[in-house]
Amino acid sequence: MKANVAPSLDPLSGTQSPGAKTAELAIADATVHHRLRQYLCDEAGSAVELETFERRSPGFSWITYSFTARDQSGQRRKLILRVGPTNGLFAPYSVLPQVYALQSMENSRVPVPRLVCYSQQGANVGFPFFISEHVAGDVAAPWLGSGATEEHRRGIVMQFLDILAELHTIDWQHLPLRELLAKIPSGERTERASLTAWRALVSRPLIRYYPLLDWAGLWLHENCPTPPRMTIVHGDYRVGNFLEENGNITAILDWELTHIGDPHEDLGWALVPTFNGGSRKLYGVMERSEVIDRYQNKSGITLSPRSLAYYEAFALYQMAAIQICGIHAFEVAGFDDMRMAAMSTQMASIVRALDKAIEAVA
Amino acid sequence: MSQSFDLLIDGMIESIRSRILPQLGDDFVRGQAYGIIFALSGLKLSADWAIAPLRSQIVLQDRAFAEFARLGAGLDYPDVPSGPRILPDAPESADLERLRNDGDRKLGELLMWTSGAGAAADPDRAKMIQAMLRQIICDQLKIDISIMAKPMFHELATGEESGSAQSRG
């Protein structure tokens, strides 16, 4: 199998032909299976069989499949396929942030699955996709009742922070992830680029308008702090986005929102109570003061209480924006996924929490 | 019938028809699904949604507009609705929802004004107006929260009952 498939389309333009969403609303697993096999055969130049093929997540965004490929010589590889569907929450998708992230982390101490190949234009598969090696482990449930003991969660959370410190101290200037800077419009502050992107999504007209959300976007724009340093930001760093096995984190997953920005952003997101069983403690076990101490000691980055408070407010704004994407997909784009409609029911509580969080910064 | 309620019911029926029914092989279970479609269609015709919460929200908005006019007297600010906007002939929920949504857009415009150039003439007063608007908008959100079901993030994201970790990788 070839190591890489170079994208032939402009990967950062995000362009999509009109009607593409309605042309292929849902990904049929059997179709993906057929197209994947065809793709693997073409790449190998000989027959490849899929011995197993299973959808692993009914996700809102990227869809994950695990499969075992057997080539003509009988060699087997257990692999992961991730596809960006045309009807995902953040469609149209670019595969490149995840590709750059996996490439950039390959020789670092941040554990990630090894990238095997990818295609932005979709090749035979029909959607932007990448294939990575399978990593053993389970996803930790961020919700209460997962059954994990406090001791277990504490061990995980220490690794979780140590890995974040590693991520934030990587010299990214010479790594593939630096390419993401090319997407930022000239004159825009790098650390504010993700906020600008979320504000654009929030500004789309919907039946219900949330006045605080527009104002909060403006407030966050005007009060964005100067980062202590520009680092790689995972963008969705939280309990639930890594694999663990026997008490060890084996891989950090879901790099689709990665970018260059303020390291406080990942901490603010990780500390949102929704991702911690409703607790203000990280994973329900580690007090904030301890989180800050451990992170600072491991990373050498001094955290600012105001910046952390700002990015906790930003996290709630981002959560609201994600809900808006769900509502938009249901109301405007006509997707018949009821989970999108269900998301809208949480808007009021998120927006109210956002207002309180802004008050805490100010 | 409100626009959002109508959309939700139509979405539920379409989801059962196109996503759930094709996956059901058992005749009894398919009968159950058709029963739910029938019940939802009936509900769509008969239900009138959330009149009381919508009324309460519009009353709050009217209070915000009146306060805005009082606190902003003498400043150059956008048009503000005056007087109670709910007419005595008791409009249906669709009308109330439209009124509430229009009110929200106006509140958004006023809130943005407090952070813009128009408010620079008297920053202290603008700050006071901003605090008042945020408070009333939050009171409005409390009404929404009081009529919403408990979050089901885990169930929505994984399709499983909560309480179990899902293997992936």
Side-chain angles (χ1 to χ4, degrees):
Chain A
M1 195 180 299
K2 291 176 188 170
N4 273 331
V5 178
S8 62
L9 297 177
D10 173 10
L12 300 174
S13 68
T15 54
Q16 186 182 38
S17 61
K21 287 185 177 180
T22 48
E24 196 156 11
L25 276 179
I27 289 188
D29 294 349
T31 306
V32 175
H33 178 280
H34 172 76
R35 291 175 177 178
L36 173 65
R37 184 175 167 275
Q38 190 60 52
Y39 168 78
L40 295 173
C41 289
D42 288 353
E43 290 300 304
S46 58
V48 175
E49 295 302 325
L50 299 184
E51 290 192 339
T52 63
F53 181 81
E54 184 186 1
R55 189 193 278 237
R56 302 310 298 266
S57 67
F60 293 100
S61 193
W62 287 77
I63 297 175
T64 306
Y65 296 89
S66 70
F67 65 97
T68 307
R70 181 169 51 82
D71 66 17
Q72 219 169 17
S73 70
Q75 190 182 354
R76 291 179 175 81
R77 287 180 82 178
K78 202 170 177 187
L79 299 166
I80 296 292
L81 167 71
R82 295 201 86 202
V83 299
T86 48
N87 65 341
L89 267 189
F90 310 126
Y93 285 103
S94 170
V95 76
L96 292 188
Q98 295 179 88
V99 165
Y100 292 151
L102 298 189
Q103 289 172 335
S104 298
M105 301 301 139
E106 191 169 347
N107 296 313
S108 76
R109 281 180 287 190
V110 176
V112 294
R114 202 175 74 77
L115 181 69
V116 175
C117 58
Y118 69 93
S119 172
Q120 171 60 24
Q121 72 270 38
N124 290 354
V125 176
F127 306 96
F129 74 90
F130 71 88
I131 294 173
S132 67
E133 290 192 338
H134 169 268
V135 176
D138 292 330
V139 174
W143 296 274
L144 290 175
S146 67
T149 65
E150 195 167 322
E151 186 188 357
H152 176 89
R153 281 183 285 151
R154 202 172 160 75
I156 290 293
V157 106
M158 287 196 279
Q159 294 172 59
F160 178 80
L161 286 171
D162 295 353
I163 293 168
L164 187 62
E166 287 287 344
L167 175 67
H168 289 168
T169 47
I170 287 175
D171 178 9
W172 52 270
Q173 305 269 6
H174 305 289
L175 294 174
L177 270 170
R178 76 182 185 283
E179 297 295 331
L180 294 178
L181 291 179
K183 194 180 173 185
I184 299 172
S186 67
E188 175 67 276
R189 280 166 57 187
T190 301
E191 68 275 16
R192 223 167 46 182
S194 62
L195 171 67
T196 302
W198 288 119
R199 287 183 77 194
L201 291 173
V202 165
S203 69
R204 295 178 298 180
L206 296 169
I207 294 173
R208 179 85 190 264
Y209 170 81
Y210 291 90
L212 268 174
L213 211 47
D214 247 359
W215 175 80
L218 176 65
W219 188 92
L220 289 165
H221 179 85
E222 289 177 344
N223 291 279
C224 183
T226 303
R229 70 171 76 165
M230 299 302 289
T231 69
I232 298 169
V233 174
H234 179 281
D236 194 6
Y237 199 80
R238 61 176 175 82
V239 176
N241 271 347
F242 55 79
L243 296 174
E244 61 161 291
E245 187 181 49
N246 302 323
N248 293 311
I249 292 179
T250 53
I252 303 295
L253 305 173
D254 292 352
W255 292 84
E256 67 180 281
L257 296 174
T258 193
H259 55 276
I260 304 301
D262 189 323
H264 290 88
E265 188 181 332
D266 276 332
L267 279 164
W269 185 248
L271 285 167
V272 170
T274 304
F275 305 135
N276 296 288
S279 170
R280 280 182 58 80
K281 295 179 188 173
L282 189 58
Y283 207 4
V285 290
M286 189 180 280
E287 294 285 357
R288 284 164 175 247
S289 55
E290 193 181 346
V291 168
I292 291 166
D293 285 348
R294 186 170 184 98
Y295 173 84
Q296 290 186 144
N297 287 337
K298 291 286 176 179
S299 68
I301 298 172
T302 303
L303 295 173
S304 146
R306 190 182 184 281
S307 291
L308 191 54
Y310 171 91
Y311 278 104
E312 289 188 76
F314 176 83
L316 290 162
Y317 182 79
Q318 186 173 324
M319 285 189 83
I322 292 168
Q323 311 280 317
I324 288 280
C325 290
I327 300 168
H328 188 273
F330 181 74
E331 281 184 5
V332 180
F335 301 142
D336 59 350
D337 184 340
M338 283 307 293
R339 298 175 307 165
M340 304 283 187
M343 288 177 84
S344 68
T345 63
Q346 300 310 314
M347 276 300 287
S349 51
I350 294 170
V351 175
R352 189 159 165 252
L354 169 60
D355 185 70
K356 281 186 186 168
I358 286 177
E359 196 58 41
V361 187
Chain B
M1 181 64 57
S2 76
Q3 196 181 357
S4 47
F5 185 75
D6 221 16
L7 271 176
L8 266 179
I9 297 278
D10 288 344
M12 284 188 261
I13 291 172
E14 183 52 32
S15 179
I16 295 169
R17 275 194 200 286
S18 64
R19 296 291 180 90
I20 298 173
L21 271 167
Q23 305 294 327
L24 301 179
D26 184 291
D27 286 346
F28 176 75
V29 179
R30 289 176 65 82
Q32 295 297 306
Y34 280 117
I36 295 169
I37 289 176
F38 178 76
L40 287 171
S41 303
L43 194 64
K44 184 180 163 185
L45 293 174
S46 62
D48 211 358
W49 176 76
I51 290 236
L54 283 169
R55 276 183 176 280
S56 303
Q57 289 181 322
I58 293 164
V59 168
L60 278 171
Q61 291 176 341
D62 284 347
R63 193 195 304 161
F65 297 142
E67 276 293 285
F68 187 96
R70 189 180 67 79
L71 293 170
L75 295 175
D76 184 19
Y77 58 76
D79 287 340
V80 178
S82 59
R85 288 173 300 148
I86 301 178
L87 298 172
D89 57 347
E92 294 179 355
S93 61
D95 300 317
L96 290 175
E97 189 186 29
R98 216 171 4 256
L99 212 53
R100 191 272 315 271
N101 291 346
D102 288 347
D104 276 338
R105 286 188 186 89
K106 178 53 79 175
L107 286 174
E109 184 188 348
L110 299 178
L111 196 51
M112 293 300 258
W113 174 86
T114 66
S115 294
D122 193 338
D124 289 341
R125 254 205 293 170
K127 207 172 170 184
M128 199 188 310
I129 293 171
Q130 185 180 91
M132 178 276 295
L133 289 173
R134 285 170 65 190
Q135 181 57 56
I136 291 185
I137 292 169
C138 283
D139 290 344
Q140 214 184 306
L141 292 171
K142 279 187 212 166
I143 295 173
D144 283 321
I145 293 166
S146 71
I147 55 171
M148 278 166 188
K150 160 183 157 303
M152 297 180 76
F153 297 122
H154 178 86
E155 290 84 348
L156 289 170
T158 66
E160 294 178 340
E161 283 285 339
S162 59
S164 59
Q166 186 183 355
S167 175
R168 186 176 83 176

